[in-house]
Amino acid sequence: MYILRNILLSLLLCLPLCGIKAQDFVLTGRVVDSNDNAIELASVSCLAQGKATMTDLKGRFSMSLRSADSVAIRFSMVGYKSKTRVLRRPRGKQTLKITLSPMDALNEIVVTEKRRQTTPMEKLDASKLKDSPSTSGNAVEELIQQQAGVSTHNELSSQYNVRGGSFDENSVYINNVEIYRPLLIRSGQQEGLSIINADMVESIGFSSGGFEAKYGDKMSSALDITYRRPTRSEVSASVSLLGGTAFAAVGNQRFSMSHAVRYKTNRYLLGSLETKGEYRPNYLDYQTFLSYRPDSLWTIDFMGNISENHYNFRPTDRETSFGTMQDVKSFKVYFDGQEKDIFRTFFGNLSVSRVFGARRQTKVSLLASAFYSKEQETYDIQGQYWLDDTNTSENLGVGTYMEHARNYLTSKMTSLKMIANHKSGKHDIEGALTFKFENIKEKASEYEMRDSSGYSIPHNPQRLDLIYTLRSTNKINSTRIEGYLQDTYRFATNSERQSFFTFNYGVRFSHWSFNNETTVSPRASIAMVPAFNNDITLRFSTGLYYQAPFFKEIRDTVTTDGITRAVLNNKIKSQQSIHFVGAFDYRFKMKDRPYKFSAEAYYKLMHNLIPYNVNNVKITYYGGNQCDGYAAGIDLKFYGEFVPGTDSWVTLSLMSTKQKMDGKWVPMPTDQRYSVNVHFTDYFPGTEKWKMTLRLAIADGLPFGPPHSGLEQMVFRAPAYKRADIGMSYRLYDRGNRKSPVKNAWLGIDCLNLFGINNVNSYYWVTDVTNQQYGVPNYLTGRQINVKLSVAL
């Protein structure tokens, strides 16, 4: 017995020296959501042992761990509540099935890592929309304007340029419906509020190129907005010197109803412009979103919007100094007249969806939408100006100009769209067919008269010629048929250390009855998470993209006896762009805080371009396919928690974009060679009640030249756009665990244009007695303080 005991003891002591790990165990399992759908790429980690893995495309995972009295395993995924399981003295093989629950509400989400981007569509964090200082009141667009490859030169506007494209090359979708915007808007002051209401947003997807076939016929970017369905009662309101908002919602698992009202008046902000006068802008917007789920198969949604924008302006005087330190010019103007604009829009969308199959892998939706816009732009403004040399007190020019417009436009757009989606194994197949009906009526009359030193320009002794005239009476009734079919195929290698792949491919087609043109647009993208480093993602996308012409693009001009008339060109064709986009993402941690570095290089080869001029935000097209061109550049973004619990980022973009006109390469009107954006968030030391957000933007100036002279004469470049906005918020009240009808209250103070930089928006051209022209800059808003109070119930 003694010998047997010693033999057994020796065997036990020798076990660690043999290849057998008696204290190891294997943990396997599956991570699913509340509907038993697999959650792919979820994190499974044992922090105490420094080991982690990710679930595969079917939500499965496997990892080897050391046994102990207790082993804590953490399961996490962006958009879901993290869960921790503690295993007691585990041995052998352990199998778990973990169900992760989605976050209850947007304002409760704490993002510990960013969702991995495996498609050209990047998911942006919608929970931070209200934290930033805002000039335009359009929080979503201001967030987009801070992304890599995106630029703006007008803080009053919600419009943006993406990788050399114009404002009209960006598609916007809300709940799978493409959104239209007014056509007559020519300045940031007129825009008012965009249709996207930040209080109602659940998710934001944005792609700056190489996007999927499901997104429409635009050449530059796609913005995909999804409105949320509240599951409880919510009430919030805010008021500031620039307007106010109110939001109310009720909801449960079957029914939800949201209502939102916004009011904006930038009279206070416009008071900082050099053109003084009586500004009376008023913008009012109401939106509603209703969702009803009678059972687990059917969903009925309705979204409605009513918008009323008024811009009334009576200028009095203006004084501008410009030039260099050695050659300073002074420009003074005294005004008569006024401008009255109205932009009234109505939008509605009804959606009915049903899921099929035992596992509900098929979904079919039918969407009907309508858009109506009535626009009126009227002004008669006369200015008497003096141009002086301040160094010599010499008068260089004196004259009068008068601008007149009576522009009226009515547009009616209706559409019927059917979408089908089917998930089968590793495939996610989606297709849609859309019928659009367009009716647009336009009646426009514009002219500009310039009288310099007693002579009308251009001078003709035989008759009175105006420097600019336009008459237009047009009507269009047309039909568009659009459709797409695409598949997203996710797969992984069979090796022990797996590489994950996401391959999206599809085709889009479109036909327009006005010019009888049919286009076919194939697109594809692939993303890989390599086995050697799961923190790296490599992406490449390419495709043929068409910019289907709309009403503004088809307006060609014909001049007869000094009078220019706008006619519709039914021979015009779609602009074309071929995208090549390569991307690299790297996720890492410093001081236990998550960071992400992204780099994208792109090249866009463009054909059949329709040239255009830009003045403020008004785009005037040539009305015909006259050019070829290209855009090439690189976008860099560094994102992370620079301060614990906050999100900040820095972007750098370098670009060159040109077009070939009459055999000569000239810069595009959007040729912004560089841009830098900084978004930084911080808390005051020792407290989380004080929060600060800083936004910095530096963007290269755009090409410009004398008006009515063509793109070939745009040999000048405006000064760089530089702007800093800072916002500070103080939490006045937080309910915490107390019983109170008020959830929280915040007081915010924003300093807009912190350094008071005079950014140039456009130029007014003056001719002196020697027929020499001077470009007088029109500056944007100066430094202003805004105070905001927000309350949530």
Side-chain angles (χ1 to χ4, degrees), residues 107-293:
N107 56 4
E108 294 182 358
I109 296 178
V110 178
V111 179
T112 57
E113 60 175 321
K114 300 303 294 180
R115 182 184 295 272
R116 187 185 301 272
Q117 183 180 349
T118 57
T119 68
M121 185 65 65
E122 180 183 7
K123 296 297 183 181
L124 304 179
D125 187 1
S127 64
K128 304 296 189 296
L129 289 176
K130 299 181 181 180
D131 295 343
S132 300
S134 175
T135 304
S136 68
N138 300 310
V140 173
E141 287 84 351
E142 289 182 332
L143 177 65
I144 299 299
Q145 291 169 356
Q146 297 177 73
Q147 304 306 308
V150 185
S151 65
T152 180
H153 288 76
N154 189 336
E155 64 270 8
L156 294 173
S157 173
S158 63
Q159 305 304 312
Y160 48 87
N161 305 110
V162 179
R163 293 178 175 174
S166 72
F167 305 136
D168 295 329
E169 295 178 19
N170 307 311
S171 60
V172 179
Y173 289 82
I174 299 180
N175 292 0
N176 291 315
V177 179
E178 189 170 7
I179 301 301
Y180 296 91
R181 67 186 184 93
L183 299 172
L184 290 184
I185 287 177
R186 59 186 175 88
S187 68
Q189 294 95 304
Q190 296 173 315
E191 279 194 22
L193 294 162
S194 76
I195 190 174
I196 305 174
N197 190 315
D199 288 324
M200 305 177 74
V201 171
E202 178 182 61
S203 66
I204 305 172
F206 179 72
S207 175
S208 53
F211 39 90
E212 305 165 15
K214 67 182 294 184
Y215 299 110
D217 300 308
K218 303 288 186 180
M219 291 198 301
S220 290
S221 74
L223 176 60
D224 192 355
I225 303 293
T226 302
Y227 277 0
R228 58 193 180 100
R229 298 178 173 88
T231 57
R232 61 185 181 186
S233 298
E234 299 179 40
V235 177
S236 64
S238 66
V239 61
S240 74
L241 297 177
L242 301 179
T245 66
F247 173 78
V250 294
N252 51 42
Q253 295 299 323
R254 297 185 61 183
F255 177 76
S256 66
M257 176 174 57
S258 303
H259 302 278
V261 178
R262 295 179 294 172
Y263 173 75
K264 173 185 171 183
T265 174
N266 52 8
R267 181 188 308 182
Y268 168 69
L269 196 64
L270 297 178
S272 66
L273 297 176
E274 288 190 324
T275 300
K276 305 302 180 183
E278 183 183 0
Y279 291 90
R280 290 184 295 135
N282 297 283
Y283 313 111
L284 184 63
D285 169 91
Y286 165 75
Q287 288 194 43
T288 183
F289 180 47
L290 311 177
S291 182
Y292 176 53
R293 293 176 173 172

Side-chain angles (χ1 to χ4, degrees), residues 361-381:
Q361 69 273 25
T362 303
K363 181 179 180 180
V364 177
S365 302
L366 184 65
L367 297 84
S369 64
F371 173 85
Y372 173 82
S373 175
K374 186 173 183 180
E375 307 172 35
Q376 172 185 308
E377 181 186 48
T378 62
Y379 55 83
D380 287 286
I381 297 177

